[in-house]
Amino acid sequence: MPTPHRPLVPRCRSAAWLIATALLLSGMRAGAQVREPDNFLATSVTFSSAPRPRQVSTRHVSPTIAAGLRVSEHGQLRLDWGLPYTALKPDGGVEGSTSHLGSSNLLVGLHHVRTFADDSLFVRIGAGVALPLARHEDAGVVGARTVETEGVNYATASAVRGLADPWLWALDTTSIVLPMAVGVDLPGFQLRADVALGMLMPVSRSARDTHFVAQASAEASLGLGMLEPGVRAQVVSPRLTEATWDGEDSQLSLEPFVRVRLGPAFARAGVRIDLGVPESSPTPSTSRMWALGLGLGVAF
């Protein structure tokens, strides 16, 4: 008479292998989780969709490329560049839809990186210059509507990031950027803080006057082997001298995320949501947006 327990043997073995693999992965400990590798190449894509004024829907995607290259014992050259794309469609039909694809500015930075306590603590201080690759098109050649869509494209690329890194998305400007970061890896727990001050200077008459921007962020994550779930809070002041974003002089946002590390490769996924005063509507708007960010990179 056949025993009813034999069909369960393969299933038990499979479950045992899954449990053993999970325990092995959870026991893996990567070094310096909150610090980027000395040499790396990474790409990320930000997606967003939100209603805009005058019953116009916005669809936005902006891939970016970041690279780091160690140039000395404590020196690192960093490059950041993006390619924003925005499509505008009036509600109720496709007639009158417009879109724009353009280059961001190119941020070139030189950073001094120091580590302490067996690489469990790092400090990075740098200086960078944003080269003005994002330029206004000639309205006499492409038309006023195209120029308007162009402005919306770059404004949206900044908005979906909570107004962060405006030196990449500001048209007809060159910028001087002073970033600083500090992070610590504790057993099973990581903390990191970033601060940056930028001076945006116009390179044409179509750009506004020189102004300063400040931004800061803090993140905490759990080190669960190859998985690192966490949350990141960010605040940006678009202008230190006046309020220019829907009457607000700063923008606060929150992003839950998860990082994955497997050997030299790493990936990140997160959803960033703008925060506002309690009486404000939680629906997306020109000053309250959400964004899905996906990233992938490799150290070498």
Side-chain angles (χ1 to χ4, degrees):
M1 180 176 181
T3 174
H5 298 290
R6 293 190 62 183
L8 297 178
V9 174
R11 297 181 182 180
C12 292
R13 289 178 179 176
S14 299
W17 276 109
L18 289 175
I19 294 174
T21 302
L23 292 175
L24 177 62
L25 293 176
S26 64
M28 295 171 58
R29 186 178 187 277
Q33 288 91 341
V34 296
R35 176 172 66 91
E36 298 89 347
D38 292 333
N39 301 292
F40 73 93
L41 179 64
T43 182
S44 63
V45 183
T46 300
F47 302 91
S48 184
S49 175
R52 308 293 288 188
R54 300 186 299 276
Q55 302 300 313
V56 176
S57 297
T58 300
R59 303 292 183 266
H60 178 82
V61 56
S62 49
T64 60
I65 296 176
L69 179 64
R70 184 175 179 177
V71 294
S72 67
E73 182 179 1
H74 300 292
Q76 183 188 45
L77 176 68
R78 295 172 64 95
L79 303 174
D80 292 275
W81 178 78
L83 194 68
Y85 170 81
T86 300
L88 304 178
K89 184 178 72 171
D91 291 345
V94 297
E95 185 178 355
S97 299
T98 60
S99 63
H100 183 270
L101 173 68
S103 167
S104 79
N105 297 317
L106 173 63
L107 181 63
V108 182
L110 187 61
H111 297 250
H112 181 80
V113 185
R114 296 297 298 266
T115 60
F116 308 93
D118 294 330
D119 288 344
S120 61
L121 173 66
F122 90 94
V123 176
R124 174 165 57 83
I125 301 175
V129 176
L131 305 180
L133 302 185
R135 306 296 296 271
H136 275 101
E137 297 184 43
D138 188 352
V141 176
V142 300
R145 188 176 184 185
T146 300
V147 173
E148 180 182 3
T149 307
E150 173 190 60
V152 172
N153 183 24
Y154 287 95
T156 304
S158 178
V160 298
R161 292 169 172 81
L163 304 184
D165 303 330
W167 34 83
L168 290 178
W169 318 109
L171 287 165
D172 291 338
T173 62
T174 185
S175 306
I176 297 176
V177 185
L178 303 176
M180 183 180 72
V182 59
V184 58
D185 288 308
L186 302 174
F189 189 66
Q190 293 89 40
L191 294 171
R192 172 170 174 153
D194 290 81
V195 177
L197 179 66
M199 181 174 67
L200 281 63
M201 300 171 290
V203 294
S204 74
R205 294 182 179 180
S206 59
R208 295 181 176 181
D209 295 335
T210 297
H211 66 277
F212 294 88
V213 177
Q215 63 185 47
S217 66
E219 71 175 52
S221 58
L222 298 176
L224 305 178
M226 63 180 291
L227 296 178
E228 298 174 8
V231 63
R232 183 174 187 263
Q234 172 186 275
V235 61
V236 181
S237 176
R239 286 175 181 261
L240 297 180
T241 55
E242 60 178 321
T244 61
W245 188 257
D246 286 357
E248 299 287 343
D249 58 1
S250 64
Q251 178 64 61
L252 176 65
S253 60
L254 196 66
E255 180 191 17
F257 66 87
V258 60
R259 281 191 299 259
V260 180
R261 298 182 186 273
L262 187 59
F266 53 91
R268 187 182 188 277
V271 177
R272 193 200 56 77
I273 304 172
D274 286 342
L275 304 178
V277 293
E279 59 269 19
S280 296
S281 170
T283 58
S285 68
T286 54
S287 60
R288 181 190 291 272
M289 300 191 71
W290 64 269
L292 169 65
L294 303 174
L296 182 67
V298 60
F300 57 90

